[in-house]
Amino acid sequence: MNAVRLKSTAGRAFARALLPSLLLGLSTTALSAQTTRYLALVDGGKHAGHQIVNVADDGTTTVDYIFKDNGRGPELKETYTLGKDGTYQTYAVQGTSTFGAKVDESFKREGAQASWKSLADSGQIKLDGAGLYSPLGGTPAGVSVMINALNQRSDGKLPLLPVGTLSMSKLAQAQVNRDGKTQTVELVALSGQGFSPSFAWVTTGANPRLFAFIFPGYLQLIEEGWQGNAAALEAQQKTAEGKLLVDLRKQLGHSFAGTTLLRDVRVFDSEHAKLGAATDVVIADGKIVSVGKAGKDVKAARVVDGGGKVLMPGLFDMHGHVSRWDGGLNIAAGVTTVRDMGNDNATLQQMIAEGEDGTLILPRVVPAGFIEGESQYSARNGFVIKNLDEARKAVDWYSDHGYPQIKIYNSFPKDVLRDTVAYAHGKGMRVSGHVPAFLRAQDVADQGFDEIQHINQLMLNFFVDDKTDTRTLQRFYLVADKTADLDFDSKPVQDFIATLAKKQIAIDPTLATFEFLHQRNGELSPIVAGIEGHLPPDVQRLRRSAEMDIPDDATAARYNKSYDKMVEFVGRAYKAGVPLLAGTDEVPGFTLQHELALYVRAGLTPSQALQVATWNAAKVARVSDDRGSVTPGKRSDLILIDGDPTTDIGDIRKVSLVLRGDTAFYPNELYQALGVKAFAAPAKVTAAK
């Protein structure tokens, strides 16, 4: 993975969405001999790492970067020099990524010739003028390089290597203070890579540098000594980002107020996993009015020409970690509801409100309350507790705020687990989560869990004992190494599956996410394999970077076999009657589509996979009364597909229209704004005569 695996519970989704636009040339500018120190803070000020940038007298810059959260994180050392145009003359970074993969990358420019080499790719190019190399494994410090190189460009655009063009806009200013000193910093948006802009606070003056990088609700990386200003900067950044997102929503959201007739559509019956014959569907003011052939007396404000396309309920992503910039990718993929499985509570409450009042492009959100235990490995989201009293108070808060379930995490104290589960059940809440350290999945099943997250948490059941600390990277490497030899027909495995089925304990395997267990450097991530031509070139390159340390072919073969067996396990569990939920915990949209394809590979029919992501999901999320099927009286959260995903699950990508209540979105427009080539032409909509 790239350098900054940030969000503890949403690291995969966040990093994949953000890093293509953040990690562009990450280091600092060589100005004069100086050392700048940064603190990495999470959970309102807890120290989680540092960045030390040293510029020597000769202009050589070195960066020491470390970030640790949730038992994992990158450790990197960079060295570079700059040319007269402010771009890299030489660049090198070594270390380890968040999940332990080796990082070893270099770049050099000699005259008009530039060349680079990483563990994922290599190449050379002849340059005519400036060009800033974009490392796969850099650190956040390189914002300084970017802004100074951009400042030397008269047109405000900076070519990137190997691909892309960087631009910058200034969004806001702030006065920061410490020890009687005051300085002005600016919030900038950097655009041109990835799916969305990245944001940074930078100093002003002739040679600006990175002052703070803030991911609202989670990380604050800020110059040491100035951390008292972080909260105010975060609040101002959220306001500035919000203005951009509001404008995007106004541009891309289309009002379908009044009555709309969807003519000649084949409705997917999600309850029975069957596709019906062509018919009509009438919606009005965000609700489904009727399903059946409409007479000539229907007075509609507009008509959607279905042309035999498939009309489905909107998809559910049952394992997301919502951010304000996720909405476009989710909605474009037909995801109209996301179950958030862990977030900063205040930030999530704000996003839910913004989505529901139509301010932002967001799916509907069903929240799960995140509860972690205090330890050196803690994930800093939701509530971090030490005892049963604190656990009960956390449950109370989530219950009072309408959360239908809680999610237990890795460091949760096992001695209060049973009582916490019972307390949540007493309030009518579901209980799900990771398996806390020093326990097995069988233990949490016995103690009342209604659901278990992630395929690795399920497989660890057969590989750990009461001394195995699964808060470390062992929770990934044990599964990658040992699942290959696990006999699924053995009594322990069969008994475990039988327990899940008998107790109706749902599994949320996030199989697509765990493709990283066997992906090697240079190989395209299976999540986007086959559709890479639709993605921005820099994202394609990023997706060839490995996350696990796979040192040789024998290890790769073993990890591949283990992954294949994980897919098989999910199919066996489903056929045995274990409830299955489709979630991502990765880059939005594309990952859910791949997850459904993996279910088909596991033995489900395409229709069964679609049922998992609609009808079944709505029941578990406790919202089946108003969504999850194309039924009169329910919300018109619907998607129109230019293909038949009940015969070819790959057609689920061909969404031509998305309805979220009385607002319509055209995926081709959303994808264009995100730098993605559309998968289907927009649906034909005409105003009624």
Side-chain angles (χ1 to χ4, degrees), residues 305-333:
D305 181 8
K309 295 180 177 66
V310 172
L311 184 72
M312 288 182 53
L315 299 172
F316 283 64
D317 181 344
M318 292 294 278
H319 196 126
H321 297 277
V322 178
S323 81
R324 299 165 96 196
W325 290 93
D326 288 349
L329 286 175
N330 269 317
I331 295 293

Side-chain angles (χ1 to χ4, degrees), residues 467-497:
K467 296 180 178 59
T468 309
D469 193 344
T470 52
R471 295 172 297 182
T472 69
L473 292 179
Q474 282 289 91
R475 67 183 184 267
F476 307 110
Y477 283 91
L478 271 176
V479 170
D481 182 58
K482 292 184 176 296
T483 306
D485 295 330
L486 185 60
D487 181 2
F488 286 169
D489 293 319
S490 65
K491 189 175 188 301
V493 177
Q494 288 298 306
D495 286 350
F496 179 59
I497 291 176

Side-chain angles (χ1 to χ4, degrees), residues 84-159:
K84 293 181 179 180
D85 61 2
T87 65
Y88 295 119
Q89 192 76 26
T90 63
Y91 174 88
V93 59
Q94 291 85 32
T96 55
S97 72
T98 297
F99 286 85
K102 290 181 173 61
V103 175
D104 189 354
E105 185 174 2
S106 61
F107 167 85
K108 65 178 180 180
R109 179 172 181 176
E110 297 175 329
Q113 195 70 31
S115 61
W116 67 92
K117 184 177 182 180
S118 73
L119 295 177
D121 69 349
S122 62
Q124 57 185 9
I125 191 171
K126 188 174 182 180
L127 291 177
D128 181 16
L132 178 65
Y133 179 63
S134 173
L136 285 172
T139 75
V143 170
S144 303
V145 174
M146 290 185 271
I147 59 175
N148 278 287
L150 272 166
N151 282 345
Q152 296 190 38
R153 303 285 296 177
S154 60
D155 61 357
K157 297 182 183 297
L158 178 63

